Structures are given as C-alpha cells and as structure tokens.
C-alpha cells in the first residue's frame, strides 16, 4: 500500500493518541528531513518540522509532521514515485479542505496503528507555508497558547478518539485563531524562522 494513492478509511482507522512530549521527536524529524533532501534533491527548496511535535514540551500525537516546498507541481507524478520509493503514500483526499497542498503519509501497514510521518508539500511562496510556520512559531513563543492547545487536544481526543476526522475538524477554530494572532509574521520558504523555541525544561502536558 505504501506509495499508492490512499483512501479515507486508511487514514481514519487509527485512533487518536495524545502523548507526553518526546525529546526524540526532533531527531526523528532530522533523520527524515535528510532522507527527503537526498530523495528530492533536484526539486526540494526547503523543509521544516511543523505541528505539535515541533514545539518543545508540547504533548502531541506521536506523528512527525513535515512541511516541504517545491518550485511548482509540474512533474508531480514523478515526485509521487520518488516518495513511494522511501515509503510514502499519497493521500489526495487530504486536499479537500486546502487544494494548495499535497499530503503524503508514512507508517505501518497495520491500519489500526498511527502513521509515523505526515508530509505536506506546497509550492514556493504559498500562503499554506506561511500559515503553518507562523502557527508553529507562535506556539513556541507563547506557552499560554500552547497550554490551551494541549487542553483542547486532550478534551477532543477523549471524546473523539475513534473519529480522527472529527477530532481535526473541531480543532480548526482554535488553529485559525492562532493563525490570526501570528498573521503579522510572514516567513518565506527557505527563510530561517526567527522566533525563539522554548527551553526543553518547559512542559505543557
């Protein structure tokens, strides 16, 4: 199944699991980023660790979210083939709520287990890139909002563990609120984020 077009059932099968922050998450990202850089060397412009596992101290689903930017989606079938070779499944159904991205998932064949990585691919200069980087950097710099996000995730996971789609939809209002707070920051693909990351002794369980 890896590397082929996915389906909604394949994505929704695994239950939502929120875990305490794991200090190994950045290392898992770095290893995968190196693999992606080698695999997509001629088309990859920038790659970033995003999502909750990219915020030190934040409880999260133990899935590494990665954001990559390419010049454009010309030749996209070839990109799908290359990612298939390193274990990624293209899931076009994930584009329904945002057609500016392409989403790939990587992980075990067992449909009841969580994926290990989510890869979000977007084009150079996209608003999607700006929003996801701004959201991550805001949570890194504002522990009070990070703590509120954890509380919301735990509440939703308790209510909708068997329905990841609903879990995700019910987070959207909070995510949009944070994106609005961070709207004044507009990092470009490849630009080094300038917000400070919290120390590893901080925890938002």
């Amino acid at each position: 199944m890896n590397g082929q077009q996915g389906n909604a059932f394949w994505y929704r099968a695994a239950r939502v699991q929120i875990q305490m922050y794991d200090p190994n998450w950045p290392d898992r990202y770095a290893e995968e980023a190196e693999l992606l850089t080698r695999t997509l060397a001629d088309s990859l412009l920038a790659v970033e660790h995003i999502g909750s596992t990219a915020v030190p101290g934040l409880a999260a689903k133990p899935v590494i979210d990665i954001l990559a930017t390419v010049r454009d989606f010309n030749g996209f079938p070839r990109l799908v083939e290359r990612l298939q070779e390193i274990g990624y499944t293209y899931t076009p159904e994930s584009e329904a709520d945002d057609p500016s991205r392409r989403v790939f998932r990587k992980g075990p064949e067992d449909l009841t287990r969580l994926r290990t990585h989510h890869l979000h691919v977007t084009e150079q200069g996209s608003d999607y890139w700006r929003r996801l980087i701004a959201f991550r950097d805001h949570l890194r710099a504002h522990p009070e909002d990070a703590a509120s996000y954890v509380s919301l995730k735990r509440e939703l996971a308790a209510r909708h563990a068997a329905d990841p789609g609903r879990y995700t939809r019910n987070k959207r209002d909070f995510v949009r609120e944070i994106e609005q707070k961070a709207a004044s920051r507009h990092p470009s693909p490849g630009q080094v984020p300038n917000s400070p990351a919290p120390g590893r002794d901080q925890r938002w369980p």
Side-chain angles (χ1 to χ4, degrees):
M1 181 177 292
N2 278 348
Q4 305 303 318
Q5 288 194 2
N7 55 66
F9 172 77
W10 181 83
Y11 170 51
R12 289 197 297 261
R15 294 175 62 85
V16 177
Q17 304 171 25
I18 304 297
Q19 298 183 5
M20 294 291 291
Y21 178 77
D22 185 341
N24 292 317
W25 285 339
D27 293 334
R28 287 179 55 198
Y29 159 74
E31 291 173 0
E32 198 68 16
E34 182 178 352
L35 176 60
L36 289 166
T37 300
R38 293 198 308 267
T39 303
L40 305 177
D42 58 345
S43 57
L44 187 66
L45 297 181
V47 60
E48 290 275 353
H49 189 187
I50 59 166
S52 294
T53 62
V55 182
L58 198 67
K61 292 188 296 184
V63 180
I64 305 301
D65 280 289
I66 301 171
L67 179 62
T69 186
V70 295
R71 289 181 180 83
D72 52 51
F73 288 139
N74 293 332
F76 182 70
R78 176 55 180 154
L79 184 144
V80 173
E81 292 176 0
R82 291 181 176 181
L83 290 172
Q84 174 183 345
E85 294 171 358
I86 58 172
Y88 280 93
T89 298
Y90 174 41
T91 57
E93 67 273 4
S94 301
E95 298 157 22
D97 60 346
D98 196 325
S100 67
R101 66 178 182 175
R102 303 291 182 267
V103 180
F104 298 79
R105 308 189 191 280
K106 184 176 187 179
E109 294 288 345
D110 183 348
L111 301 181
T112 65
R113 297 173 60 191
L114 284 173
R115 305 301 92 194
T116 58
H117 302 79
H118 289 169
L119 173 64
H120 308 246
V121 181
T122 190
E123 293 179 301
Q124 183 177 18
S126 74
D127 183 64
Y128 186 73
W129 173 282
R130 181 197 62 77
R131 289 191 292 107
L132 267 64
I133 295 296
F135 180 80
R136 178 202 66 186
D137 288 354
H138 182 91
L139 292 186
R140 285 179 171 179
H142 297 85
E144 67 284 359
D145 285 335
S148 295
Y149 190 38
V150 170
S151 295
L152 174 63
K153 290 195 299 180
R154 290 196 181 280
E155 175 187 346
L156 293 176
R159 292 162 51 193
H160 307 303
D163 189 349
R166 189 171 182 182
Y167 165 84
T168 299
R169 289 192 300 273
N170 286 359
K171 292 192 303 177
R172 285 178 182 166
D173 287 346
F174 180 91
V175 171
R176 287 169 181 158
E177 179 183 346
I178 296 300
E179 287 177 348
Q180 290 174 359
K181 287 184 178 181
S184 61
R185 309 170 76 183
H186 299 276
S188 300
Q191 180 179 353
V192 178
N194 56 15
S195 66
R200 293 207 176 230
D201 57 336
Q202 288 186 257
R203 291 292 180 271
W204 305 302

